[in-house]
């Protein structure tokens, strides 16, 4: 093993020239910190060991931190699980499946299945509204690159499941179709996002009144208090 | 000394860990002469103090940026690596046991993040390699000019095996000790020394054409 003391130091000329190898420019601290905060918000990252009472602090920062992000991961997982259960129940109770259903299996009532799907749809719409609010905020702060695209993919997957479910009736289907388009466009945003791409999405949101329709969607109005 | 103008001196004052109080003799972040007590800082971050989080970032951002930039050599990739490093650090701060200095612990995360970024980029480069090779064959005139020592040195550093290159950059360019490098790379300090010896030997060998210029100063 070579001992440090035995090493021939690098020649001064080489050392000097090596300093120019991938010489780092100055770091933009403010932009970097903003990006870190946005990404931590998006992923719900929290320092281990930190007491939950810090929510007061987050509340104080409310104007800078979108509400959606703090619960994004839990919500998305919850929606996915709920959807799977809801769609499973829906399919079990769907007509023309008599040959597949076992006579002794406990079958939930159609009303139970319908409620589960409505809850899943309502949560999806609420989540989508929060995400799109975050998207708009990112556009305004010119910080779209820090947007959690993975969350858009999850929402898109949920949206497609809902489109295939009985809950996508004549009233809700058009909204889900518009939402699918917007979410699909957001998932295509990458590191080399062009302003035109972002403008296309925001124009699509405005033209279709997607945000307004999300807020007044029928699936959200039919739920009992406290579901969302 | 860190060649970017930042002297980092450890002051054995904090019982949390020998040498875990840093005095930055000069440099932009934090303010010259400021002291950062790692244990206190971690405690404040875990208590939910946003100012402490920002202080943690400001204290180490430039060091981390220097490390990852040396490795990846690309502003956007380096920026991503810095972000990822701090995000991971905040996530894992509870696992920091003070067995190394906080800066070194953070450096180990940065090295891991930068390595992942480099490996991802190499995968991309491999996909494009046939086209680049074809272009080189099609336009041999582009290679007629003889590179100078600086160009050759940088090209040779690029060609070093990953382990050699990392140790060389951390030690001879960024000025870290073998102990710090060992912690960052997860190897023994002796391994770091051996890698550095081989890296230097390889560079000298490859740059033998320039021997008079190398030894002239």
């Amino acid at each position: 093993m070579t001992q440090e003391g035995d090493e021939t130091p690098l020649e001064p000329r080489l050392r000097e020239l090596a300093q120019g190898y991938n010489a780092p420019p100055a770091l933009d601290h403010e932009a970097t910190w903003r990006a870190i905060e946005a990404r931590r918000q998006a992923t719900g990252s929290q320092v281990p060991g930190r007491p939950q009472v810090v929510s007061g602090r987050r509340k104080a920062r409310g104007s800078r931190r979108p509400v959606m992000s703090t619960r994004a991961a839990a919500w998305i997982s919850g929606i996915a699980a709920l959807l799977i259960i809801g769609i499973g129940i829906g399919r079990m109770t769907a007509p023309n499946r008599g040959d597949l259903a076992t006579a002794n299996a406990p079958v939930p009532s159609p009303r139970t299945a319908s409620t589960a799907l409505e809850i899943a749809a309502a949560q999806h719409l609420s989540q989508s509204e929060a995400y799109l609010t975050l998207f708009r905020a990112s556009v305004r702060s010119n910080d779209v690159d820090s947007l959690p695209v993975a969350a858009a993919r999850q929402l898109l997957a949920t949206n497609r499941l809902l489109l295939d479910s009985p809950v996508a009736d004549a009233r809700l289907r058009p909204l889900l179709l518009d939402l699918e388009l917007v979410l699909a466009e957001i998932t295509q945003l990458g590191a080399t996002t062009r302003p035109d791409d972002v403008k296309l999405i925001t124009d699509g949101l405005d033209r279709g009144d997607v945000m307004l329709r999300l807020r007044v969607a029928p699936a959200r109005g039919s739920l009992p208090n406290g579901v969302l | 000394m860190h060649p970017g103008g930042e002297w980092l001196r450890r002051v054995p004052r904090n019982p949390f860990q020998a040498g875990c109080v840093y005095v930055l003799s000069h440099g932009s972040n934090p303010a010259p002469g400021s002291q950062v007590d790692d244990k206190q800082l971690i405690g404040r971050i875990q208590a939910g103090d946003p100012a402490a989080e920002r202080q943690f970032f400001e204290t180490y951002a430039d060091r981390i940026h220097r490390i990852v930039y040396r490795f990846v050599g690309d502003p956007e990739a380096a920026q991503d690596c810095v972000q990822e490093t701090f995000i991971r650090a905040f996530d894992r701060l509870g696992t920091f046991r003070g067995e190394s200095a906080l800066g070194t612990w953070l450096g180990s995360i940065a090295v891991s993040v930068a390595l992942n970024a480099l490996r991802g980029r190499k995968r991309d480069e491999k996909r494009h390699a046939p086209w680049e090779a074809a272009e080189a064959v099609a336009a041999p005139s582009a290679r007629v000019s003889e590179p100078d020592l600086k160009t050759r040195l940088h090209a040779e550093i690029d060609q070093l095996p990953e382990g050699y290159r990392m140790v060389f950059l951390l030690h001879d360019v960024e000025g870290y000790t073998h102990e710090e490098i060992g912690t960052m790379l997860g190897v023994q300090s002796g391994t770091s020394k051996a890698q550095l010896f081989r890296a230097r030997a390889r560079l000298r060998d490859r740059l033998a054409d320039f021997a008079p210029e190398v030894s002239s100063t």
Side-chain angles (χ1 to χ4, degrees), chain B:
Chain B
M1 174 187 176
H2 292 251
E6 183 180 283
W7 283 88
L8 200 61
R9 185 160 55 89
R10 291 178 185 178
V11 180
R13 199 190 64 174
N14 189 339
F16 176 63
Q17 181 205 352
C20 66
V21 175
Y22 289 95
V23 175
L24 288 161
S25 300
H26 66 89
S28 56
N29 289 293
S34 69
Q35 294 188 354
V36 180
D37 183 305
D38 291 349
K39 189 180 180 183
Q40 276 187 359
L41 189 59
I42 292 169
R44 283 170 55 210
I45 292 172
Q46 290 183 325
D49 180 356
E53 291 183 349
R54 184 62 189 258
Q55 185 184 350
F56 175 63
F57 169 78
E58 291 293 342
T59 304
Y60 295 107
D62 284 337
R63 290 180 67 186
I64 297 307
H65 183 241
R66 290 187 68 81
I67 291 174
V68 297
Y69 199 95
R70 293 288 188 193
F71 290 165
V72 301
D74 173 71
E76 282 185 21
Q79 169 82 252
D80 282 347
C81 288
V82 172
Q83 291 175 24
E84 184 66 26
T85 299
F86 278 97
I87 288 168
R88 287 194 194 182
F90 282 125
D91 282 345
R92 300 176 187 175
L93 207 54
T95 68
F96 177 67
R97 296 283 174 261
E99 289 158 2
S100 62
L102 184 58
T104 309
W105 175 78
L106 193 60
S108 69
I109 297 175
V111 166
S112 168
V113 168
L115 267 177
N116 283 339
L118 274 176
R119 284 167 187 157
R121 195 166 70 185
K122 279 179 183 167
R123 279 196 296 273
D124 288 343
E125 284 170 355
K126 275 183 183 173
R127 289 193 203 110
H128 295 100
W131 294 104
E132 287 163 5
E135 283 169 9
V137 171
S141 59
R143 296 175 294 175
V144 292
S145 60
E146 282 297 320
D148 60 6
L149 174 57
K150 182 180 175 182
T151 310
R152 275 283 301 281
L153 173 63
H154 291 185
E156 294 302 340
I157 294 173
D158 275 335
Q159 295 301 315
L160 287 174
E162 201 169 69
Y164 293 10
R165 180 170 168 270
M166 298 189 96
V167 171
F168 176 79
L169 291 174
L170 287 170
H171 189 279
D172 279 354
V173 179
E174 285 299 312
Y176 288 93
T177 65
H178 285 298
E179 285 70 28
E180 288 170 325
I181 295 168
T183 303
M184 284 190 221
L185 300 183
V187 298
Q188 297 292 320
S189 61
T191 306
S192 171
K193 291 174 188 175
Q195 300 269 55
L196 179 67
F197 177 80
R198 291 171 193 149
R200 287 173 175 172
R202 182 177 288 216
L203 289 176
R204 288 190 184 105
D205 181 51
R206 300 286 170 88
L207 298 170
D209 297 350
F210 292 91
E213 186 181 342
V214 167
S215 56
S216 63
T217 51

Side-chain angles (χ1 to χ4, degrees), chain A residues 61-113:
Chain A
R61 287 179 165 189
S63 59
R64 289 192 294 126
R65 299 193 174 200
V67 175
M68 169 261 178
S69 302
T70 56
R71 292 178 291 176
W75 277 30
I76 289 170
S77 318
I79 287 170
L82 203 56
L83 266 177
I84 291 166
I85 294 166
I87 291 169
I89 293 170
R91 288 187 175 169
M92 284 171 68
T93 57
N96 301 325
R97 287 180 175 244
D99 53 333
L100 296 177
T102 56
N104 296 327
V107 179
S109 70
R111 179 62 204 150
T112 306

Side-chain angles (χ1 to χ4, degrees), chain A:
Chain A
M1 189 67 66
T2 307
Q3 295 302 307
E4 196 167 16
D6 298 337
E7 290 173 2
T8 309
L10 195 67
E11 289 76 1
R13 178 73 178 140
L14 289 182
R15 187 182 285 270
E16 177 196 333
L17 291 175
Q19 292 299 325
Y21 177 83
N22 289 346
L27 176 68
D28 183 343
H29 283 230
E30 197 56 44
T32 308
W33 179 248
R34 278 204 310 270
I36 290 170
E37 282 203 310
R39 286 177 63 181
R40 290 179 72 203
Q41 280 295 304
T43 57
S45 165
Q46 187 172 318
V47 176
R50 173 179 294 177
Q52 286 299 317
V53 290
V54 298
S55 58
R57 174 194 134 224
R58 292 186 183 275
K59 195 176 175 183
R61 287 179 165 189
S63 59
R64 289 192 294 126
R65 299 193 174 200
V67 175
M68 169 261 178
S69 302
T70 56
R71 292 178 291 176
W75 277 30
I76 289 170
S77 318
I79 287 170
L82 203 56
L83 266 177
I84 291 166
I85 294 166
I87 291 169
I89 293 170
R91 288 187 175 169
M92 284 171 68
T93 57
N96 301 325
R97 287 180 175 244
D99 53 333
L100 296 177
T102 56
N104 296 327
V107 179
S109 70
R111 179 62 204 150
T112 306
S114 170
T115 303
L117 279 170
E118 281 170 10
I119 291 171
Q123 288 189 329
H124 171 66
L125 296 177
S126 174
Q127 186 69 27
S128 298
E129 182 197 346
Y131 185 84
L132 292 177
T133 304
L134 175 65
F135 172 75
R136 279 185 177 280
S138 304
V139 172
R140 275 197 296 275
S141 60
N142 199 21
D143 196 23
V144 178
D145 289 347
S146 62
L147 197 70
V149 176
R153 287 197 197 97
Q154 291 271 12
L155 287 170
L156 182 60
T158 307
N159 200 73
R160 285 173 175 158
L161 285 170
L162 283 172
L163 270 169
D164 290 338
S165 75
V167 80
D169 57 12
R171 294 179 304 163
L172 193 57
R173 191 173 183 78
L175 174 58
L176 291 175
L177 287 170
D178 285 351
L179 193 56
E180 181 177 31
L181 182 63
V182 171
L183 291 171
E185 286 172 335
I186 292 176
T187 58
Q188 298 306 309
L189 296 178
T192 55
T193 302
R194 292 178 307 164
D196 287 352
D197 297 334
V198 176
K199 189 169 184 309
L200 202 64
I201 299 171
T202 51
D203 286 351
L205 279 173
D206 294 338
R207 267 199 310 275
D209 286 331
V210 175
M211 295 298 286
L212 180 63
R213 288 160 63 203
L214 278 172
R215 288 185 192 120
V216 298
R220 296 174 71 174
S222 60
L223 292 174
N225 289 338
V227 169
L228 290 177

